mmCIF file of all heavy atoms in Angstrom:
data_model
loop_
_atom_site.group_PDB
_atom_site.id
_atom_site.type_symbol
_atom_site.label_atom_id
_atom_site.label_comp_id
_atom_site.label_asym_id
_atom_site.label_seq_id
_atom_site.Cartn_x
_atom_site.Cartn_y
_atom_site.Cartn_z
ATOM 1 N N LEU A 722 0.819 -1.204 0.000
ATOM 2 C CA LEU A 722 0.000 0.000 0.000
ATOM 3 C C LEU A 722 0.858 1.261 0.000
ATOM 4 O O LEU A 722 0.404 2.325 -0.446
ATOM 5 C CB LEU A 722 -0.929 0.002 1.211
ATOM 6 C CG LEU A 722 -1.998 -1.100 1.215
ATOM 7 C CD1 LEU A 722 -2.797 -1.048 2.503
ATOM 8 C CD2 LEU A 722 -2.925 -0.963 0.018
ATOM 9 N N GLU A 723 2.092 1.140 0.488
ATOM 10 C CA GLU A 723 2.989 2.290 0.519
ATOM 11 C C GLU A 723 3.292 2.799 -0.888
ATOM 12 O O GLU A 723 3.583 3.985 -1.081
ATOM 13 C CB GLU A 723 4.290 1.904 1.236
ATOM 14 C CG GLU A 723 5.200 3.064 1.584
ATOM 15 C CD GLU A 723 4.615 4.005 2.629
ATOM 16 O OE1 GLU A 723 3.709 3.573 3.367
ATOM 17 O OE2 GLU A 723 5.068 5.154 2.690
ATOM 18 N N ARG A 724 3.195 1.928 -1.871
ATOM 19 C CA ARG A 724 3.478 2.336 -3.253
ATOM 20 C C ARG A 724 2.474 3.371 -3.751
ATOM 21 O O ARG A 724 2.764 4.116 -4.690
ATOM 22 C CB ARG A 724 3.453 1.108 -4.170
ATOM 23 C CG ARG A 724 4.486 0.049 -3.818
ATOM 24 C CD ARG A 724 4.274 -1.207 -4.628
ATOM 25 N NE ARG A 724 5.133 -2.302 -4.178
ATOM 26 C CZ ARG A 724 5.028 -3.561 -4.593
ATOM 27 N NH1 ARG A 724 4.104 -3.870 -5.500
ATOM 28 N NH2 ARG A 724 5.842 -4.484 -4.124
ATOM 29 N N LEU A 725 1.301 3.410 -3.123
ATOM 30 C CA LEU A 725 0.285 4.367 -3.541
ATOM 31 C C LEU A 725 0.652 5.797 -3.166
ATOM 32 O O LEU A 725 -0.022 6.743 -3.594
ATOM 33 C CB LEU A 725 -1.073 4.007 -2.918
ATOM 34 C CG LEU A 725 -1.676 2.659 -3.345
ATOM 35 C CD1 LEU A 725 -2.955 2.388 -2.575
ATOM 36 C CD2 LEU A 725 -1.952 2.645 -4.841
ATOM 37 N N ARG A 726 1.695 5.977 -2.362
ATOM 38 C CA ARG A 726 2.095 7.320 -1.943
ATOM 39 C C ARG A 726 2.901 8.039 -3.012
ATOM 40 O O ARG A 726 3.113 9.248 -2.927
ATOM 41 C CB ARG A 726 2.910 7.252 -0.646
ATOM 42 C CG ARG A 726 2.188 6.619 0.519
ATOM 43 C CD ARG A 726 2.941 6.805 1.816
ATOM 44 N NE ARG A 726 2.960 8.197 2.228
ATOM 45 C CZ ARG A 726 3.377 8.613 3.430
ATOM 46 N NH1 ARG A 726 3.822 7.736 4.306
ATOM 47 N NH2 ARG A 726 3.378 9.883 3.731
ATOM 48 N N ASP A 727 3.370 7.316 -4.007
ATOM 49 C CA ASP A 727 4.176 7.924 -5.058
ATOM 50 C C ASP A 727 3.374 9.016 -5.779
ATOM 51 O O ASP A 727 2.196 8.840 -6.099
ATOM 52 C CB ASP A 727 4.610 6.845 -6.056
ATOM 53 C CG ASP A 727 5.600 7.382 -7.067
ATOM 54 O OD1 ASP A 727 5.156 7.972 -8.061
ATOM 55 O OD2 ASP A 727 6.817 7.215 -6.859
ATOM 56 N N GLY A 728 4.023 10.145 -6.050
ATOM 57 C CA GLY A 728 3.338 11.263 -6.696
ATOM 58 C C GLY A 728 2.780 10.913 -8.051
ATOM 59 O O GLY A 728 1.683 11.359 -8.429
ATOM 60 N N ARG A 729 3.499 10.095 -8.806
ATOM 61 C CA ARG A 729 3.013 9.697 -10.129
ATOM 62 C C ARG A 729 1.759 8.845 -10.029
ATOM 63 O O ARG A 729 0.877 8.922 -10.889
ATOM 64 C CB ARG A 729 4.113 8.935 -10.872
ATOM 65 C CG ARG A 729 5.316 9.796 -11.269
ATOM 66 C CD ARG A 729 6.470 8.946 -11.733
ATOM 67 N NE ARG A 729 6.979 8.077 -10.672
ATOM 68 C CZ ARG A 729 7.990 7.238 -10.823
ATOM 69 N NH1 ARG A 729 8.606 7.145 -11.987
ATOM 70 N NH2 ARG A 729 8.391 6.482 -9.807
ATOM 71 N N VAL A 730 1.680 8.030 -8.963
ATOM 72 C CA VAL A 730 0.491 7.204 -8.763
ATOM 73 C C VAL A 730 -0.728 8.091 -8.483
ATOM 74 O O VAL A 730 -1.831 7.836 -8.979
ATOM 75 C CB VAL A 730 0.713 6.207 -7.605
ATOM 76 C CG1 VAL A 730 -0.580 5.464 -7.285
ATOM 77 C CG2 VAL A 730 1.819 5.218 -7.956
ATOM 78 N N ARG A 731 -0.521 9.156 -7.729
ATOM 79 C CA ARG A 731 -1.627 10.055 -7.415
ATOM 80 C C ARG A 731 -2.139 10.759 -8.664
ATOM 81 O O ARG A 731 -3.344 10.936 -8.834
ATOM 82 C CB ARG A 731 -1.187 11.072 -6.366
ATOM 83 C CG ARG A 731 -0.892 10.453 -5.009
ATOM 84 C CD ARG A 731 -0.527 11.511 -3.988
ATOM 85 N NE ARG A 731 -0.244 10.904 -2.695
ATOM 86 C CZ ARG A 731 0.083 11.581 -1.601
ATOM 87 N NH1 ARG A 731 0.175 12.911 -1.662
ATOM 88 N NH2 ARG A 731 0.316 10.968 -0.467
ATOM 89 N N VAL A 732 -1.226 11.159 -9.523
ATOM 90 C CA VAL A 732 -1.651 11.778 -10.779
ATOM 91 C C VAL A 732 -2.441 10.782 -11.615
ATOM 92 O O VAL A 732 -3.497 11.112 -12.185
ATOM 93 C CB VAL A 732 -0.424 12.292 -11.558
ATOM 94 C CG1 VAL A 732 -0.831 12.775 -12.952
ATOM 95 C CG2 VAL A 732 0.263 13.415 -10.791
ATOM 96 N N THR A 733 -1.948 9.550 -11.665
ATOM 97 C CA THR A 733 -2.663 8.501 -12.402
ATOM 98 C C THR A 733 -4.029 8.245 -11.793
ATOM 99 O O THR A 733 -5.002 7.997 -12.511
ATOM 100 C CB THR A 733 -1.835 7.202 -12.392
ATOM 101 O OG1 THR A 733 -0.546 7.452 -12.944
ATOM 102 C CG2 THR A 733 -2.530 6.111 -13.195
ATOM 103 N N ALA A 734 -4.118 8.317 -10.453
ATOM 104 C CA ALA A 734 -5.390 8.075 -9.769
ATOM 105 C C ALA A 734 -6.460 9.066 -10.206
ATOM 106 O O ALA A 734 -7.625 8.699 -10.408
ATOM 107 C CB ALA A 734 -5.189 8.151 -8.252
ATOM 108 N N VAL A 735 -6.066 10.326 -10.362
ATOM 109 C CA VAL A 735 -7.017 11.335 -10.837
ATOM 110 C C VAL A 735 -7.514 10.958 -12.234
ATOM 111 O O VAL A 735 -8.715 11.051 -12.531
ATOM 112 C CB VAL A 735 -6.374 12.731 -10.844
ATOM 113 C CG1 VAL A 735 -7.307 13.758 -11.477
ATOM 114 C CG2 VAL A 735 -6.002 13.158 -9.423
ATOM 115 N N GLY A 736 -6.584 10.523 -13.079
ATOM 116 C CA GLY A 736 -6.969 10.108 -14.425
ATOM 117 C C GLY A 736 -7.896 8.903 -14.421
ATOM 118 O O GLY A 736 -8.837 8.826 -15.227
ATOM 119 N N VAL A 737 -7.637 7.951 -13.500
ATOM 120 C CA VAL A 737 -8.494 6.757 -13.414
ATOM 121 C C VAL A 737 -9.923 7.136 -13.021
ATOM 122 O O VAL A 737 -10.899 6.670 -13.633
ATOM 123 C CB VAL A 737 -7.906 5.755 -12.393
ATOM 124 C CG1 VAL A 737 -8.927 4.656 -12.064
ATOM 125 C CG2 VAL A 737 -6.637 5.132 -12.943
ATOM 126 N N LEU A 738 -10.059 7.973 -12.012
ATOM 127 C CA LEU A 738 -11.404 8.385 -11.593
ATOM 128 C C LEU A 738 -12.096 9.193 -12.677
ATOM 129 O O LEU A 738 -13.320 9.068 -12.866
ATOM 130 C CB LEU A 738 -11.316 9.191 -10.290
ATOM 131 C CG LEU A 738 -10.891 8.396 -9.056
ATOM 132 C CD1 LEU A 738 -10.768 9.309 -7.836
ATOM 133 C CD2 LEU A 738 -11.879 7.270 -8.761
ATOM 134 N N ALA A 739 -11.339 9.988 -13.409
ATOM 135 C CA ALA A 739 -11.928 10.727 -14.530
ATOM 136 C C ALA A 739 -12.419 9.765 -15.607
ATOM 137 O O ALA A 739 -13.493 9.963 -16.194
ATOM 138 C CB ALA A 739 -10.902 11.710 -15.111
ATOM 139 N N ALA A 740 -11.635 8.722 -15.858
ATOM 140 C CA ALA A 740 -12.042 7.726 -16.856
ATOM 141 C C ALA A 740 -13.302 6.987 -16.418
ATOM 142 O O ALA A 740 -14.195 6.707 -17.237
ATOM 143 C CB ALA A 740 -10.898 6.741 -17.099
ATOM 144 N N ILE A 741 -13.391 6.656 -15.133
ATOM 145 C CA ILE A 741 -14.594 5.992 -14.624
ATOM 146 C C ILE A 741 -15.793 6.925 -14.734
ATOM 147 O O ILE A 741 -16.915 6.496 -15.042
ATOM 148 C CB ILE A 741 -14.384 5.524 -13.168
ATOM 149 C CG1 ILE A 741 -13.299 4.447 -13.110
ATOM 150 C CG2 ILE A 741 -15.679 4.988 -12.567
ATOM 151 C CD1 ILE A 741 -12.927 4.009 -11.707
ATOM 152 N N TRP A 742 -15.573 8.222 -14.502
ATOM 153 C CA TRP A 742 -16.659 9.199 -14.654
ATOM 154 C C TRP A 742 -17.189 9.184 -16.094
ATOM 155 O O TRP A 742 -18.398 9.176 -16.324
ATOM 156 C CB TRP A 742 -16.164 10.587 -14.277
ATOM 157 C CG TRP A 742 -17.140 11.686 -14.598
ATOM 158 C CD1 TRP A 742 -17.111 12.517 -15.676
ATOM 159 C CD2 TRP A 742 -18.307 12.042 -13.854
ATOM 160 N NE1 TRP A 742 -18.183 13.378 -15.650
ATOM 161 C CE2 TRP A 742 -18.925 13.102 -14.538
ATOM 162 C CE3 TRP A 742 -18.867 11.560 -12.675
ATOM 163 C CZ2 TRP A 742 -20.095 13.706 -14.080
ATOM 164 C CZ3 TRP A 742 -20.032 12.164 -12.210
ATOM 165 C CH2 TRP A 742 -20.636 13.207 -12.900
ATOM 166 N N VAL A 743 -16.272 9.156 -17.053
ATOM 167 C CA VAL A 743 -16.690 9.117 -18.458
ATOM 168 C C VAL A 743 -17.387 7.791 -18.762
ATOM 169 O O VAL A 743 -18.426 7.763 -19.427
ATOM 170 C CB VAL A 743 -15.472 9.319 -19.385
ATOM 171 C CG1 VAL A 743 -15.865 9.111 -20.847
ATOM 172 C CG2 VAL A 743 -14.869 10.708 -19.191
ATOM 173 N N LEU A 744 -16.812 6.690 -18.277
ATOM 174 C CA LEU A 744 -17.374 5.368 -18.549
ATOM 175 C C LEU A 744 -18.788 5.241 -18.020
ATOM 176 O O LEU A 744 -19.665 4.670 -18.685
ATOM 177 C CB LEU A 744 -16.478 4.298 -17.922
ATOM 178 C CG LEU A 744 -16.909 2.839 -18.115
ATOM 179 C CD1 LEU A 744 -16.864 2.466 -19.584
ATOM 180 C CD2 LEU A 744 -16.021 1.911 -17.293
ATOM 181 N N THR A 745 -19.036 5.777 -16.834
ATOM 182 C CA THR A 745 -20.369 5.643 -16.244
ATOM 183 C C THR A 745 -21.385 6.590 -16.877
ATOM 184 O O THR A 745 -22.562 6.559 -16.506
ATOM 185 C CB THR A 745 -20.306 5.891 -14.719
ATOM 186 O OG1 THR A 745 -19.600 7.115 -14.447
ATOM 187 C CG2 THR A 745 -19.604 4.739 -14.019
ATOM 188 N N THR A 746 -20.948 7.405 -17.809
ATOM 189 C CA THR A 746 -21.908 8.198 -18.585
ATOM 190 C C THR A 746 -22.814 7.280 -19.387
ATOM 191 O O THR A 746 -23.985 7.592 -19.631
ATOM 192 C CB THR A 746 -21.162 9.152 -19.548
ATOM 193 O OG1 THR A 746 -20.272 9.972 -18.796
ATOM 194 C CG2 THR A 746 -22.151 10.032 -20.313
ATOM 195 N N TRP A 747 -22.264 6.126 -19.789
ATOM 196 C CA TRP A 747 -23.009 5.181 -20.625
ATOM 197 C C TRP A 747 -23.273 3.870 -19.889
ATOM 198 O O TRP A 747 -23.337 2.809 -20.512
ATOM 199 C CB TRP A 747 -22.229 4.898 -21.902
ATOM 200 C CG TRP A 747 -21.945 6.136 -22.689
ATOM 201 C CD1 TRP A 747 -22.826 6.886 -23.412
ATOM 202 C CD2 TRP A 747 -20.669 6.783 -22.823
ATOM 203 N NE1 TRP A 747 -22.187 7.950 -23.988
ATOM 204 C CE2 TRP A 747 -20.864 7.925 -23.645
ATOM 205 C CE3 TRP A 747 -19.389 6.527 -22.330
ATOM 206 C CZ2 TRP A 747 -19.824 8.789 -23.982
ATOM 207 C CZ3 TRP A 747 -18.355 7.392 -22.661
ATOM 208 C CH2 TRP A 747 -18.576 8.504 -23.482
ATOM 209 N N THR A 748 -23.461 3.940 -18.579
ATOM 210 C CA THR A 748 -23.683 2.711 -17.808
ATOM 211 C C THR A 748 -24.832 1.895 -18.377
ATOM 212 O O THR A 748 -24.747 0.663 -18.517
ATOM 213 C CB THR A 748 -23.979 3.048 -16.329
ATOM 214 O OG1 THR A 748 -22.895 3.791 -15.785
ATOM 215 C CG2 THR A 748 -24.159 1.770 -15.523
ATOM 216 N N ASP A 749 -25.925 2.557 -18.708
ATOM 217 C CA ASP A 749 -27.102 1.821 -19.166
ATOM 218 C C ASP A 749 -26.921 1.181 -20.538
ATOM 219 O O ASP A 749 -27.747 0.377 -20.955
ATOM 220 C CB ASP A 749 -28.319 2.752 -19.195
ATOM 221 C CG ASP A 749 -28.769 3.140 -17.791
ATOM 222 O OD1 ASP A 749 -28.493 2.359 -16.870
ATOM 223 O OD2 ASP A 749 -29.374 4.209 -17.624
ATOM 224 N N ARG A 750 -25.858 1.524 -21.243
ATOM 225 C CA ARG A 750 -25.620 0.910 -22.545
ATOM 226 C C ARG A 750 -24.881 -0.416 -22.428
ATOM 227 O O ARG A 750 -25.079 -1.312 -23.248
ATOM 228 C CB ARG A 750 -24.815 1.867 -23.442
ATOM 229 C CG ARG A 750 -25.558 3.173 -23.754
ATOM 230 C CD ARG A 750 -24.783 4.002 -24.755
ATOM 231 N NE ARG A 750 -25.410 5.300 -24.987
ATOM 232 C CZ ARG A 750 -24.942 6.219 -25.817
ATOM 233 N NH1 ARG A 750 -23.818 5.988 -26.502
ATOM 234 N NH2 ARG A 750 -25.559 7.383 -25.965
ATOM 235 N N TRP A 751 -23.993 -0.509 -21.448
ATOM 236 C CA TRP A 751 -23.216 -1.747 -21.328
ATOM 237 C C TRP A 751 -23.555 -2.530 -20.063
ATOM 238 O O TRP A 751 -23.178 -3.694 -19.918
ATOM 239 C CB TRP A 751 -21.719 -1.448 -21.366
ATOM 240 C CG TRP A 751 -21.214 -0.553 -20.280
ATOM 241 C CD1 TRP A 751 -21.246 0.799 -20.264
ATOM 242 C CD2 TRP A 751 -20.593 -0.955 -19.054
ATOM 243 N NE1 TRP A 751 -20.684 1.284 -19.100
ATOM 244 C CE2 TRP A 751 -20.273 0.235 -18.351
ATOM 245 C CE3 TRP A 751 -20.281 -2.187 -18.490
ATOM 246 C CZ2 TRP A 751 -19.654 0.212 -17.099
ATOM 247 C CZ3 TRP A 751 -19.663 -2.206 -17.248
ATOM 248 C CH2 TRP A 751 -19.352 -1.019 -16.574
ATOM 249 N N ALA A 752 -24.276 -1.917 -19.162
ATOM 250 C CA ALA A 752 -24.758 -2.587 -17.947
ATOM 251 C C ALA A 752 -25.949 -1.760 -17.460
ATOM 252 O O ALA A 752 -26.525 -0.987 -18.204
ATOM 253 C CB ALA A 752 -23.660 -2.652 -16.888
ATOM 254 N N SER A 753 -26.309 -1.922 -16.214
ATOM 255 C CA SER A 753 -27.333 -1.081 -15.599
ATOM 256 C C SER A 753 -26.937 -0.876 -14.153
ATOM 257 O O SER A 753 -26.041 -1.557 -13.633
ATOM 258 C CB SER A 753 -28.711 -1.732 -15.694
ATOM 259 O OG SER A 753 -28.743 -2.933 -14.948
ATOM 260 N N THR A 754 -27.608 0.043 -13.486
ATOM 261 C CA THR A 754 -27.262 0.328 -12.090
ATOM 262 C C THR A 754 -27.359 -0.932 -11.231
ATOM 263 O O THR A 754 -26.564 -1.113 -10.302
ATOM 264 C CB THR A 754 -28.190 1.416 -11.542
ATOM 265 O OG1 THR A 754 -28.054 2.596 -12.339
ATOM 266 C CG2 THR A 754 -27.828 1.753 -10.102
ATOM 267 N N GLU A 755 -28.310 -1.802 -11.539
ATOM 268 C CA GLU A 755 -28.486 -3.020 -10.749
ATOM 269 C C GLU A 755 -27.219 -3.868 -10.716
ATOM 270 O O GLU A 755 -26.922 -4.528 -9.712
ATOM 271 C CB GLU A 755 -29.649 -3.835 -11.314
ATOM 272 C CG GLU A 755 -29.965 -5.124 -10.560
ATOM 273 C CD GLU A 755 -30.412 -4.882 -9.123
ATOM 274 O OE1 GLU A 755 -30.972 -3.795 -8.841
ATOM 275 O OE2 GLU A 755 -30.200 -5.776 -8.278
ATOM 276 N N TRP A 756 -26.426 -3.835 -11.781
ATOM 277 C CA TRP A 756 -25.177 -4.592 -11.807
ATOM 278 C C TRP A 756 -24.217 -4.140 -10.715
ATOM 279 O O TRP A 756 -23.418 -4.938 -10.208
ATOM 280 C CB TRP A 756 -24.486 -4.424 -13.162
ATOM 281 C CG TRP A 756 -25.048 -5.275 -14.252
ATOM 282 C CD1 TRP A 756 -26.026 -4.917 -15.143
ATOM 283 C CD2 TRP A 756 -24.666 -6.600 -14.590
ATOM 284 N NE1 TRP A 756 -26.278 -5.947 -16.009
ATOM 285 C CE2 TRP A 756 -25.457 -6.999 -15.687
ATOM 286 C CE3 TRP A 756 -23.738 -7.493 -14.073
ATOM 287 C CZ2 TRP A 756 -25.344 -8.256 -16.280
ATOM 288 C CZ3 TRP A 756 -23.620 -8.748 -14.656
ATOM 289 C CH2 TRP A 756 -24.416 -9.111 -15.744
ATOM 290 N N LEU A 757 -24.282 -2.877 -10.346
ATOM 291 C CA LEU A 757 -23.333 -2.318 -9.389
ATOM 292 C C LEU A 757 -23.582 -2.799 -7.968
ATOM 293 O O LEU A 757 -22.743 -2.589 -7.093
ATOM 294 C CB LEU A 757 -23.387 -0.784 -9.434
ATOM 295 C CG LEU A 757 -23.138 -0.157 -10.805
ATOM 296 C CD1 LEU A 757 -23.286 1.355 -10.725
ATOM 297 C CD2 LEU A 757 -21.764 -0.537 -11.336
ATOM 298 N N TYR A 758 -24.727 -3.436 -7.737
ATOM 299 C CA TYR A 758 -25.046 -3.944 -6.405
ATOM 300 C C TYR A 758 -24.525 -5.370 -6.194
ATOM 301 O O TYR A 758 -24.538 -5.861 -5.051
ATOM 302 C CB TYR A 758 -26.553 -3.932 -6.173
ATOM 303 C CG TYR A 758 -27.195 -2.561 -6.288
ATOM 304 C CD1 TYR A 758 -28.425 -2.407 -6.917
ATOM 305 C CD2 TYR A 758 -26.584 -1.428 -5.770
ATOM 306 C CE1 TYR A 758 -29.028 -1.163 -7.034
ATOM 307 C CE2 TYR A 758 -27.179 -0.182 -5.879
ATOM 308 C CZ TYR A 758 -28.396 -0.051 -6.508
ATOM 309 O OH TYR A 758 -28.990 1.173 -6.616
ATOM 310 N N TYR A 759 -24.166 -6.070 -7.257
ATOM 311 C CA TYR A 759 -23.639 -7.440 -7.159
ATOM 312 C C TYR A 759 -24.627 -8.385 -6.461
ATOM 313 O O TYR A 759 -24.204 -9.330 -5.790
ATOM 314 C CB TYR A 759 -22.304 -7.457 -6.390
ATOM 315 C CG TYR A 759 -21.169 -6.781 -7.109
ATOM 316 C CD1 TYR A 759 -20.992 -5.398 -7.044
ATOM 317 C CD2 TYR A 759 -20.244 -7.525 -7.846
ATOM 318 C CE1 TYR A 759 -19.947 -4.767 -7.704
ATOM 319 C CE2 TYR A 759 -19.186 -6.899 -8.500
ATOM 320 C CZ TYR A 759 -19.044 -5.524 -8.422
ATOM 321 O OH TYR A 759 -18.000 -4.901 -9.077
ATOM 322 N N ARG A 760 -25.919 -8.168 -6.610
ATOM 323 C CA ARG A 760 -26.875 -8.953 -5.838
ATOM 324 C C ARG A 760 -27.822 -9.793 -6.678
ATOM 325 O O ARG A 760 -28.513 -10.665 -6.139
ATOM 326 C CB ARG A 760 -27.703 -8.018 -4.957
ATOM 327 C CG ARG A 760 -28.628 -7.094 -5.733
ATOM 328 C CD ARG A 760 -29.358 -6.122 -4.845
ATOM 329 N NE ARG A 760 -30.240 -5.242 -5.617
ATOM 330 C CZ ARG A 760 -30.895 -4.207 -5.119
ATOM 331 N NH1 ARG A 760 -30.767 -3.922 -3.834
ATOM 332 N NH2 ARG A 760 -31.660 -3.461 -5.893
ATOM 333 N N SER A 761 -27.904 -9.556 -7.967
ATOM 334 C CA SER A 761 -28.903 -10.236 -8.800
ATOM 335 C C SER A 761 -28.269 -11.370 -9.598
ATOM 336 O O SER A 761 -27.097 -11.288 -10.009
ATOM 337 C CB SER A 761 -29.559 -9.245 -9.766
ATOM 338 O OG SER A 761 -30.259 -8.250 -9.061
ATOM 339 N N ARG A 762 -29.050 -12.401 -9.818
ATOM 340 C CA ARG A 762 -28.596 -13.461 -10.717
ATOM 341 C C ARG A 762 -28.578 -12.933 -12.143
ATOM 342 O O ARG A 762 -29.346 -12.051 -12.508
ATOM 343 C CB ARG A 762 -29.530 -14.673 -10.624
ATOM 344 C CG ARG A 762 -29.424 -15.438 -9.324
ATOM 345 C CD ARG A 762 -30.255 -16.700 -9.385
ATOM 346 N NE ARG A 762 -30.195 -17.435 -8.133
ATOM 347 C CZ ARG A 762 -30.828 -18.591 -7.923
ATOM 348 N NH1 ARG A 762 -31.557 -19.129 -8.889
ATOM 349 N NH2 ARG A 762 -30.724 -19.201 -6.757
ATOM 350 N N TYR A 763 -27.699 -13.513 -12.938
ATOM 351 C CA TYR A 763 -27.612 -13.083 -14.330
ATOM 352 C C TYR A 763 -28.943 -13.269 -15.051
ATOM 353 O O TYR A 763 -29.300 -12.458 -15.918
ATOM 354 C CB TYR A 763 -26.515 -13.873 -15.062
ATOM 355 C CG TYR A 763 -25.136 -13.722 -14.476
ATOM 356 C CD1 TYR A 763 -24.199 -14.756 -14.566
ATOM 357 C CD2 TYR A 763 -24.733 -12.546 -13.840
ATOM 358 C CE1 TYR A 763 -22.918 -14.625 -14.052
ATOM 359 C CE2 TYR A 763 -23.460 -12.407 -13.303
ATOM 360 C CZ TYR A 763 -22.556 -13.462 -13.422
ATOM 361 O OH TYR A 763 -21.293 -13.324 -12.898
ATOM 362 N N SER A 764 -29.654 -14.317 -14.690
ATOM 363 C CA SER A 764 -30.927 -14.591 -15.360
ATOM 364 C C SER A 764 -31.949 -13.485 -15.124
ATOM 365 O O SER A 764 -32.874 -13.306 -15.926
ATOM 366 C CB SER A 764 -31.493 -15.930 -14.881
ATOM 367 O OG SER A 764 -31.696 -15.920 -13.475
ATOM 368 N N GLU A 765 -31.804 -12.749 -14.038
ATOM 369 C CA GLU A 765 -32.725 -11.662 -13.734
ATOM 370 C C GLU A 765 -32.381 -10.384 -14.482
ATOM 371 O O GLU A 765 -33.159 -9.422 -14.486
ATOM 372 C CB GLU A 765 -32.717 -11.380 -12.224
ATOM 373 C CG GLU A 765 -33.157 -12.561 -11.378
ATOM 374 C CD GLU A 765 -32.921 -12.311 -9.896
ATOM 375 O OE1 GLU A 765 -32.473 -11.195 -9.548
ATOM 376 O OE2 GLU A 765 -33.174 -13.223 -9.092
ATOM 377 N N LEU A 766 -31.194 -10.340 -15.107
ATOM 378 C CA LEU A 766 -30.723 -9.125 -15.775
ATOM 379 C C LEU A 766 -30.904 -9.181 -17.287
ATOM 380 O O LEU A 766 -30.450 -8.286 -18.004
ATOM 381 C CB LEU A 766 -29.253 -8.889 -15.420
ATOM 382 C CG LEU A 766 -29.011 -8.667 -13.920
ATOM 383 C CD1 LEU A 766 -27.526 -8.702 -13.600
ATOM 384 C CD2 LEU A 766 -29.604 -7.340 -13.476
ATOM 385 N N ASP A 767 -31.532 -10.225 -17.752
ATOM 386 C CA ASP A 767 -31.946 -10.337 -19.158
ATOM 387 C C ASP A 767 -30.773 -10.228 -20.131
ATOM 388 O O ASP A 767 -30.816 -9.486 -21.113
ATOM 389 C CB ASP A 767 -32.999 -9.260 -19.475
ATOM 390 C CG ASP A 767 -33.754 -9.562 -20.764
ATOM 391 O OD1 ASP A 767 -33.847 -10.745 -21.118
ATOM 392 O OD2 ASP A 767 -34.239 -8.596 -21.404
ATOM 393 N N VAL A 768 -29.704 -10.970 -19.821
ATOM 394 C CA VAL A 768 -28.565 -11.050 -20.738
ATOM 395 C C VAL A 768 -28.106 -12.501 -20.799
ATOM 396 O O VAL A 768 -28.440 -13.312 -19.926
ATOM 397 C CB VAL A 768 -27.385 -10.153 -20.269
ATOM 398 C CG1 VAL A 768 -27.757 -8.683 -20.322
ATOM 399 C CG2 VAL A 768 -26.930 -10.543 -18.870
ATOM 400 N N SER A 769 -27.341 -12.822 -21.817
ATOM 401 C CA SER A 769 -26.801 -14.172 -21.916
ATOM 402 C C SER A 769 -25.746 -14.392 -20.843
ATOM 403 O O SER A 769 -25.177 -13.435 -20.305
ATOM 404 C CB SER A 769 -26.186 -14.388 -23.303
ATOM 405 O OG SER A 769 -25.028 -13.574 -23.450
#
């Protein structure tokens, strides 16, 4: 965990969260909010 203190890692961390922000703009296209709860069977989510 000490490796996370590196300054370059922190800069990368900002980029990662920004990328997740962009990715979740289209959550409903590739998944749905229900997927984020990890609680439903795949059969209930109407996908193969």
Side-chain angles (χ1 to χ4, degrees):
L722 294 176
E723 192 67 21
R724 299 172 188 171
L725 296 176
R726 301 190 68 169
D727 188 276
R729 292 168 297 180
V730 173
R731 293 183 180 181
V732 173
T733 303
V735 174
V737 168
L738 292 177
I741 295 175
W742 171 260
V743 173
L744 180 64
T745 50
T746 304
W747 302 288
T748 302
D749 290 334
R750 297 186 185 180
W751 60 277
S753 64
T754 301
E755 181 63 27
W756 281 93
L757 304 177
Y758 301 139
Y759 292 83
R760 67 184 180 187
S761 297
R762 289 187 181 181
Y763 300 150
S764 59
E765 299 171 3
L766 298 169
D767 196 26
V768 294
S769 68

